[in-house]
Amino acid sequence: MLAVKGLKANVGGKEILRGLDFSVGPGEVHAIMGPNGSGKSTFAHVLSGREGYEVTAGSATFEGQDLLALEPEERAQLGLFLAFQYPVELPGVNNTYFLKAALNSILKARGQPELDAVSFLRLIKEKLKILHLDDSLLKRAVNAGFSGGEKKRNEIFQMALLEPKLAILDETDSGLDIDALRVVADGVNALRSPERSMIVVTHYQRLLDYIQPDHVHVLSKGRIIRSGGKELALELEEKGYGWIDAEGQAA
Amino acid sequence: MTSATAVDDIVGSEYEHGFTTEIASETFPPGLDEGVVRAISARKGEPEFMTEWRLKAYRHWLTMPEPAWAAVHYPKIDFQSISYFSAPKRPEDMPKSLDEIDPVLLDTYNKLGIPLEEQKALAGIAVDAVFDSVSVATTFRKSLAEAGVIFCSISEAVHDYPELIQQHLGSVVPHTDNYYAALNAAVYSDGTFVYVPKGVRCPMELSTYFRINARNTGQFERTLIVAEAGSYVSYLEGCTAPQRDENQLHAAVVELIAMDDAEIKYSTVQNWYPGDAQGKGGIYNFVTKRGDCRGARSKISWTQVETGSAITWKYPSCLLRGDDSIGEFYSVAVTKGRQQADTGTKMIHIGKNTSSTIVSKGISAGEGTQTYRGLVRIGPRAEGARNHTQCDSLLIGDRCSANTFPYIEVKHPSANMEHEATTSKISDDQLFYCRSRGLTEEDAVSMIVNGFCKEVFNELPMEFAVEAQKLLSISLEGAVG
Ligand SMILES: Nc1ncnc2c1ncn2[C@@H]1O[C@H](COP(=O)(O)OP(=O)(O)OP(=O)(O)O)[C@@H](O)[C@H]1O
Ligand SMILES: [Mg+2]
């Protein structure tokens, strides 16, 4: 589904991704862990097409298409979704209106019929239930004045609505209280399916207790330095990143 | 696509309504003197008092210097190179129904998205369409007449209701007020007159579409709306103009009068040709709009959406004379390309417990410059006066600018004044966020801009709000931060 090979990218003239190899098959959940500043968000942004990142080498294909040649909206229309580490506020833009426009834009690009107001509201009600989200958030402007946790939940709500093929969750767990974490994880699990893959970026084992990954990777200084099963996360929790770094140097 | 090229795309978005209708018009040769003023008056068969009124204004105009203080730049206007009268060919047999209207003209309206026939049936809007300088179509007269509302061209009003005209015309904006007001009084070609009698709630939104057409003919519209005690009227003004080479001067005067407990809502959606990428060929829009809250508890609201014109110089104002009267100003102004706008409002508090609200939303893109200039004056007798002013600017790109000049004069210690101002930019983060959800850059910009303007759009009548949003999307097509 996603195949990344030898990906190198610069930000502000500095090389942040330094030869990244990574692939995700249908229905798989991959966790990416790694120290602050190692390039996790950069990787997520490069995959979703943010401007300002200069790809200097390597490739990324998504469902056989050259992802890097596409505009961000085209990637979204193909079925890529990024849940932001720092969701952006859009003052004055009504949340429901925004979601409807986004969904219809995606449907339109896929040649599918757009939803009218009634069927959209029905869909929204259904998805709200999954995330135990208060519908008052939908009447407000996108993320404007939302608490940190509300913003993160809103991201997962968007994901539930847009039903992507590949979702990248960038530290969705940070800023969530314990109950919210559970709700979000339940929501994410409800969206797991054999056709839907996920990349979960996190610093904490706790999230992975709820969302059990098929694979765990450690990103350090712009490279995947270790991959393994879900037990790798436990080991990291216990020993910290220094352990792998030290091992890496010893080897 | 990089941000810089995307910004250039908006600047490059061509004026949608740029075409010229071919209708034979009878146009005066360029130039202005007493003879021309008399000829205009004679051509319209005006009574003596009107001719004298024009001449007085003309003579005063000669003594006035052209204003130079607004923060706009343009080549000096040669008033002798302008033609001061133009009319569709058969003014003596004015059409009685739409069937009599020149099909070319109807087609023009259709291209502008104003299907007159449909409008008649739709929304219940009475349309007094001004084409060039003479009204050519008026609908819904009858049901208005039943309510006792007068809605006609000002030329007709001069003939049919001379007392009302003599009593009110120039009573809010006297010819001595400013240079363009004096010029307008001398040479005004036509416009709209609305009279709502005591206690009458006007049964429909009144609407006029303006369109400048004949080459090189300045338009000098004159609008007078009188709302007698306890009455209510909502008036919509919208206009577009065809593309052309010379700059075109538009110097309109709008006077509103609200008596005790009366309310006037005046909404404008303005989309004149802004000129090409170099600013060449656009409309110069120097307008004097003033509302007089003459009676106690009267209310006047100005709502405007301005996207067009090369140069806009315009301050819809309220004189709050009646005790407890209310003045409101809601404005969205867009400048892009080389457009310049110097706009704002004046709220003059004279009576006791008067209150005013100002909400100004300025959007600049490309190399557009925009100045908000607002004056709030609390007079010595205006005990308990209140004002709330909110000025927000939204910048799209790095080459545009916005300035805000709030002037406040308070002569009564009890005044309660609030002022808020913000400047924001559409950020790359916001655009990327929207795009990562599958929205195009254009959709994202238009969504953010519409969100920014919401408070003002909420003040517009429904159909107009939809039109205004469309207009904004069209004028900011391809815009990116
Ligand atoms: N616009 C930029 N200009 C310069 N450096 C940048 C820019 N954006 C990111 N960086 C740098 O790139 C590096 C990787 O950042 P990134 O956000 O990808 O880290 P991360 O792994 O997501 O970290 P965290 O766990 O703290 O979220 C950091 O050193 C950061 O300072
Ligand atoms: Mg990060």
Side-chain angles (χ1 to χ4, degrees):
Chain A
M1 167 167 278
L2 176 74
V4 176
K5 291 198 184 94
L7 188 66
K8 293 186 180 182
N10 293 349
V11 186
K14 192 174 145 206
E15 185 164 82
I16 306 294
L17 300 184
R18 302 190 304 156
L20 210 133
D21 295 301
F22 187 76
S23 60
V24 179
E28 292 176 3
V29 174
H30 290 244
I32 298 183
M33 307 184 80
N36 294 133
S38 55
K40 302 182 296 296
S41 295
T42 302
F43 181 46
H45 284 147
V46 169
L47 288 182
S48 37
R50 208 195 150 124
E51 275 174 23
Y53 296 83
E54 190 200 348
V55 175
T56 53
S59 66
T61 53
F62 178 55
E63 302 237 283
Q65 290 217 43
D66 178 5
L67 199 58
L68 303 177
L70 300 176
E71 297 289 342
E73 60 269 30
E74 294 172 321
R75 302 181 197 202
Q77 289 155 3
L78 265 187
L80 188 72
F81 180 88
L82 169 62
F84 282 55
Q85 182 174 4
Y86 304 107
V88 180
E89 302 195 0
L90 302 175
V93 179
N94 175 273
N95 212 5
T96 308
Y97 178 74
F98 175 76
L99 291 169
K100 180 160 174 260
L103 181 61
N104 278 336
S105 176
I106 289 175
L107 290 174
K108 193 171 154 200
R110 292 181 188 162
Q112 286 164 279
E114 297 179 40
L115 291 187
D116 60 21
V118 176
S119 20
F120 180 74
L121 286 177
R122 200 174 299 140
L123 180 66
I124 254 190
K125 278 228 175 83
E126 194 183 296
K127 302 290 181 185
L128 275 172
K129 264 191 232 139
I130 302 177
L131 282 163
H132 305 279
L133 206 68
D134 186 8
D135 70 349
S136 69
L137 289 187
L138 289 173
K139 295 183 184 121
R140 289 165 57 182
V142 181
N143 293 324
F146 285 22
S147 76
E150 286 169 344
K151 283 183 184 169
K152 294 300 179 69
R153 276 210 241 181
N154 193 38
E155 292 292 286
I156 300 306
F157 178 65
Q158 291 183 5
M159 167 171 121
L161 199 73
L162 300 180
E163 300 187 322
K165 291 188 196 129
L166 173 63
I168 306 167
L169 312 186
D170 192 359
E171 295 199 26
T172 300
D173 52 339
S174 62
L176 289 180
D177 66 40
I178 296 162
D179 293 341
L181 182 70
R182 170 136 238 157
V183 169
V184 164
D186 287 348
V188 170
N189 285 328
L191 293 168
R192 279 180 87 154
S193 87
E195 299 86 48
R196 184 169 296 128
S197 316
M198 298 188 194
I199 300 173
V200 179
V201 175
T202 182
H203 287 292
Y204 304 106
Q205 166 58 33
R206 207 177 48 206
L207 180 70
L208 302 181
D209 287 340
Y210 295 120
I211 306 173
Q212 300 243 334
D214 301 306
H215 304 274
V216 175
H217 310 270
V218 177
L219 188 68
S220 175
K221 300 191 182 107
R223 270 192 209 119
I224 305 271
I225 53 162
R226 175 74 74 109
S227 297
K230 55 183 179 247
E231 64 294 337
L232 178 58
L234 290 168
E235 212 168 344
L236 282 169
E237 179 103 326
E238 199 180 307
K239 302 182 182 165
Y241 295 117
W243 153 67
I244 300 179
D245 272 354
E247 246 190 16
Q249 269 153 31
Chain B
M1 189 188 312
T2 70
S3 296
T5 54
V7 168
D8 287 338
D9 282 351
I10 354 164
V11 176
S13 84
E14 301 246 321
Y15 182 73
E16 262 211 343
H17 297 149
F19 49 84
T20 306
T21 311
E22 281 174 35
I23 282 190
S25 33
E26 183 200 324
T27 302
F28 281 17
L32 183 58
D33 57 23
E34 281 207 16
V36 169
V37 175
R38 281 181 196 282
I40 292 170
S41 192
R43 182 72 177 63
K44 300 168 81 65
E46 287 177 350
E48 177 78 25
F49 83 86
M50 204 65 243
T51 315
E52 286 310 314
W53 194 81
R54 287 177 181 275
L55 286 170
K56 204 159 110 193
Y58 173 70
R59 288 173 198 138
H60 186 78
W61 179 71
L62 289 176
T63 68
M64 299 172 95
E66 209 181 320
W69 57 276
V72 292
H73 307 279
Y74 56 94
K76 216 170 150 45
I77 298 165
D78 178 3
F79 291 94
Q80 294 303 337
S81 71
I82 295 169
S83 165
Y84 289 86
F85 190 82
S86 122
K89 211 179 179 183
R90 298 158 290 138
E92 57 287 341
D93 52 45
M94 292 289 283
K96 310 284 177 295
S97 77
L98 290 172
D99 315 333
E100 294 175 40
I101 290 173
D102 192 328
V104 181
L105 179 53
L106 289 180
D107 191 46
T108 303
Y109 287 122
N110 286 329
K111 278 192 215 161
L112 287 169
I114 314 160
L116 218 55
E117 295 102 318
E118 274 172 40
Q119 277 197 10
K120 245 170 109 176
L122 278 170
I125 296 174
V127 177
D128 181 352
V130 175
F131 180 73
D132 268 2
S133 314
V134 173
S135 303
V136 293
T138 302
T139 53
F140 284 98
R141 281 279 182 90
K142 239 197 193 148
S143 65
L144 289 174
E146 274 161 23
V149 175
I150 302 171
F151 178 46
C152 63
S153 76
I154 206 134
S155 313
E156 282 174 273
V158 168
H159 288 282
D160 300 346
Y161 313 101
E163 326 74 46
L164 287 175
I165 294 295
Q166 262 184 297
Q167 186 187 346
H168 295 294
L169 195 71
S171 74
V172 184
V173 180
H175 67 265
T176 49
D177 189 82
N178 69 69
Y179 190 77
Y180 295 105
L183 181 63
N184 176 289
V187 301
Y188 80 86
S189 35
D190 210 339
T192 305
F193 177 64
V194 177
Y195 179 83
V196 192
K198 222 167 166 173
V200 171
R201 195 179 164 86
C202 185
M204 60 192 69
E205 312 266 5
L206 303 180
S207 157
T208 299
Y209 284 90
F210 292 91
R211 186 175 170 89
I212 298 180
N213 193 284
R215 175 171 284 260
N216 230 359
T217 301
Q219 278 231 328
F220 303 93
E221 300 290 344
R222 189 114 202 161
T223 302
L224 174 62
I225 300 178
V226 181
E228 292 287 8
S231 68
Y232 168 85
V233 63
S234 166
Y235 183 85
L236 321 177
E237 169 204 39
C239 54
T240 60
Q243 188 159 352
R244 45 186 51 269
D245 290 317
E246 292 96 318
N247 283 299
Q248 288 183 303
L249 177 64
H250 185 95
V253 170
V254 177
E255 297 177 283
L256 312 182
I257 299 166
M259 307 308 282
D260 286 356
D261 300 292
E263 179 177 349
I264 302 175
K265 211 170 151 49
Y266 192 104
S267 314
T268 309
V269 172
Q270 190 269 105
N271 180 26
W272 278 336
Y273 181 54
D276 62 16
Q278 273 67 52
K280 195 169 161 251
I283 303 293
Y284 290 4
N285 186 23
F286 301 127
V287 183
T288 307
K289 286 184 166 174
R290 192 172 303 153
D292 186 355
C293 284
R294 213 168 272 180
R297 298 166 304 279
S298 57
K299 178 176 175 186
I300 290 179
S301 321
W302 297 102
T303 305
Q304 58 174 31
V305 177
E306 302 270 341
T307 65
S309 297
I311 297 174
T312 302
W313 179 89
K314 166 172 175 182
Y315 312 90
S317 308
C318 294
L319 298 175
L320 302 171
R321 292 208 275 185
D323 290 348
D324 302 291
S325 62
I326 299 171
E328 294 176 339
F329 174 74
Y330 298 95
S331 167
V332 166
V334 179
T335 51
K336 60 180 196 288
R338 297 285 177 92
Q339 279 179 285
Q340 306 173 59
D342 193 312
T343 175
T345 184
K346 292 176 199 164
M347 292 291 173
I348 312 298
H349 293 250
I350 300 164
K352 291 194 180 80
N353 298 314
T354 46
S355 70
S356 59
T357 302
I358 299 172
V359 177
S360 162
K361 305 275 180 175
I363 301 159
S364 303
E367 291 172 62
T369 64
Q370 190 161 133
T371 303
Y372 168 82
R373 212 182 281 280
L375 169 68
V376 179
R377 180 185 293 152
I378 310 290
R381 290 184 296 115
E383 191 186 330
R386 295 181 304 278
N387 167 264
H388 178 82
T389 298
Q390 189 189 325
C391 285
D392 299 322
S393 307
L394 184 68
L395 305 179
I396 305 177
D398 298 321
R399 290 173 297 162
C400 52
S401 62
N403 308 303
T404 301
F405 298 109
Y407 301 94
I408 298 171
E409 291 172 26
V410 179
K411 301 241 171 67
H412 197 288
S414 67
N416 182 343
M417 314 285 284
E418 293 167 1
H419 183 92
E420 290 171 41
T422 65
T423 300
S424 50
K425 269 188 80 158
I426 294 186
S427 69
D428 291 346
D429 283 341
Q430 289 175 324
L431 287 176
F432 175 61
Y433 189 72
C434 294
R435 296 180 72 190
S436 78
R437 298 300 181 252
L439 295 163
T440 63
E441 257 169 357
E442 277 164 24
D443 289 344
V445 169
S446 121
M447 203 176 265
I448 293 167
V449 166
N450 279 322
F452 174 75
C453 301
K454 197 149 64 184
E455 281 164 278
V456 175
F457 287 167
N458 284 346
E459 294 298 320
L460 288 171
M462 248 312 252
E463 320 85 73
F464 240 35
V466 172
E467 211 169 296
Q469 286 198 16
K470 232 176 15 193
L471 194 57
L472 231 60
S473 306
I474 291 167
S475 42
L476 292 172
E477 228 145 63
V480 192

